[in-house]
Amino acid sequence: MTALLVILTAVPRPAHARPASAPARPALRIATSGFVDSFNPFTSIYLLPTSTFRYMYENLVAYDQTDGSPTTGLADRWTTAEDGRTWTFRLQDGLTWSDGKPITAEDVVWTYTQMMTNTQMGQANGSLVANFSKVTAPDEHTVIIILKKPQAPNPGVEIPVVPKHVWSKIKEPWKYPNSSNAVGSGPYILDSYRANQRITFRANPHYWRGAPKISGLQYIYYTNSDAQVQALKSGDVDFVTGLSASQFDALSRVKGVTVHAGTGRRYTAVVLNSGVRTVTGKPFGTGNPALKDVNVRRAIRQAIDIKTLTNKVLDGQATPATSFIPDAFPKWSLPTDDPVLAKFDPAAARKTLDDAGWQVGTDGVRVKDGKKLALRLMVDSTDSSQQSAAEYLRPWLRNVGIAVSIDATDSDSISTRSTSGDYDMYFSGWSINPDPDYQLSINTCATRPTHPDGSGGTSQDGWCSREFDKLYQQQRDETDPTKRQTIVRTMLERNYQDASQVTLWYAKSLEAYRSDRFSGFGLQPKDGGIIAKQVGYWGFLDVAPAGARTATNGTPMTGLAVTGELFVALVVVGIAVHLVHRRNREEVA
């Protein structure tokens, strides 16, 4: 059978290792409030840990820095058989784990097989191997993946490959926290984790692109973004992201600090509890039954002035959202002139509710069957943008007869309650990959929770549509790019019309760093991209003390640097939850 050969040029390896006598290198200190469920790549779905997996573990196939297309990872070339079902990957020569042991095809096979045969090992990324029939290693450099059906997405992307010689010895690997002395293959390896205080990563001297120019990364916890900004100003940290527009503007005037606004890959939405159920159809949670009515959900969207919200809350540092695929990926995202998109129209919202039988009561709040249309909106008490947005949403919804009570709470509680379905509405968001397959997959019925406490699954909003499921399989099987794009957009339209969430905006990623200490930050995509929370390791790969500006991968860099000891004293309380996607995964980092 004839095979189609795809060969990607690998980045040159450095000619020699760093001299042993080189001066002590500093660590880059990164402010965070991100939530950590674990550092287990088989189970974690939160933004911070899944973002760091990209530094800890090389995938079989990586995402390119320039445009996010598939490129060299553990494998530097692959072939696809004519039937589209058999993919053969060739691993690079001389790859080693951070403990010096060789990386072989058996590591890949063990990782994928665990996810294929053990549902507990597939909690985070099981949907990515759902189409796998068999994975084999005919020799130490070759991996063969046989699919059940042909699929458009490259099956080698997005799954962190772990060392078999470490993980196969763990009795219950799905419970393993992986929070210290990890063994990995990426540029930085997790050294230690102290909850709500710090996460320390060490540079990997065995990394195939060459050892980083700094000693490692430190994630330092702060209770809120204002504290992070002050830490950057005082020099206690070297990098912050997730800034508000006002913080960004203030930092732009600080000596020694450089700010950067990049096109983000994340969307923000208000999730509506449309009636969450387990994968077997058992309802759970405390959502208001009124939200099971699609007309109520659509009226909520019609009542929200998303353009004004974006301008007022984010000072214009965002674009109004059309779907859960951001405009950073225009090939997939719904265009702004798509005919299904609703306009801000309070009068239309009132008519929608009238037609659905919701009558205006004497106090202006709508009533049906003796029950008022009164909803709870959960808000992160440490997130200024959520608090501000909530203050706009409440009067807009009240204007059409929907009463809203603001339930301000901490991020831990939001995580717990959203998982268990104990909400009517709450703010959420995911970070999206260049290929939309994963995010589409977690909107299918099969990814709903397996248990009535909301655990055992990775669903975007608990939404389920059999029509969407059929379209999902169609887009996965479709190898013609133009036809697949049409199917994906049809799926997004279907999700939009059912209104399980109201997508609000695609915010720019507002970042700042101590350019008087470090240089060498990489953007993804290279043209107007972001530093942190990429779908790769390019952001901190070539960071070096200020003045040392040679990239290991030979690509242009933006400025940044840091000095100081590897361990620093910390004063911190609290964390803020940010869901990925992954997962990607925010965010998936």
Side-chain angles (χ1 to χ4, degrees), residues 273 286-292 358 372-376 423-424:
N273 191 336
T286 63
N288 190 318
L291 289 172
K292 295 179 181 179
W358 289 93
K372 287 189 174 184
L373 189 47
L375 305 175
R376 303 163 294 166
Y423 68 92
D424 294 332

Side-chain angles (χ1 to χ4, degrees), residues 449-487:
T450 56
H451 303 293
D453 61 358
S455 64
T458 302
S459 175
Q460 179 176 287
D461 304 313
W463 179 67
C464 171
S465 163
R466 299 302 175 185
E467 178 187 346
F468 186 94
D469 285 5
K470 292 178 182 178
L471 290 168
Y472 172 73
Q473 194 57 56
Q474 289 178 25
Q475 69 83 28
R476 210 159 206 266
D477 297 347
E478 183 54 69
T479 57
D480 181 280
T482 301
K483 292 180 180 178
R484 184 180 178 224
Q485 179 188 49
T486 299
I487 297 170

Side-chain angles (χ1 to χ4, degrees), residues 183-307:
V183 176
S185 56
Y188 300 101
I189 308 298
L190 180 65
D191 193 62
S192 64
Y193 167 58
R194 187 172 296 176
N196 301 340
Q197 294 187 34
R198 68 168 172 246
I199 314 168
T200 302
F201 296 83
R202 65 185 184 278
N204 179 10
H206 299 286
Y207 182 52
W208 69 273
R209 294 182 186 271
K213 301 179 182 67
I214 56 177
S215 64
L217 308 173
Q218 292 176 6
Y219 285 80
I220 302 176
Y221 278 83
Y222 291 86
T223 50
N224 56 60
S225 60
D226 288 334
Q228 294 180 22
V229 168
Q230 290 304 315
L232 185 74
K233 288 180 177 180
S234 65
D236 291 331
V237 298
D238 309 297
F239 184 92
V240 296
T241 189
L243 297 168
S244 68
S246 59
Q247 291 169 336
F248 183 82
D249 182 61
L251 286 172
S252 69
R253 298 188 292 272
V254 176
K255 184 178 180 180
V257 170
T258 294
V259 295
H260 172 71
T263 299
R265 61 185 184 93
R266 186 173 180 82
Y267 78 88
T268 295
V270 173
V271 175
L272 309 179
N273 191 336
S274 57
V276 290
R277 295 174 178 267
T278 66
V279 72
T280 59
K282 184 176 181 178
F284 65 95
T286 63
N288 190 318
L291 289 172
K292 295 179 181 179
D293 184 346
V294 67
N295 294 297
V296 172
R297 302 197 300 270
R298 289 174 178 172
I300 289 173
R301 172 181 281 131
Q302 291 172 316
I304 298 174
D305 186 349
I306 295 176
K307 184 176 181 180

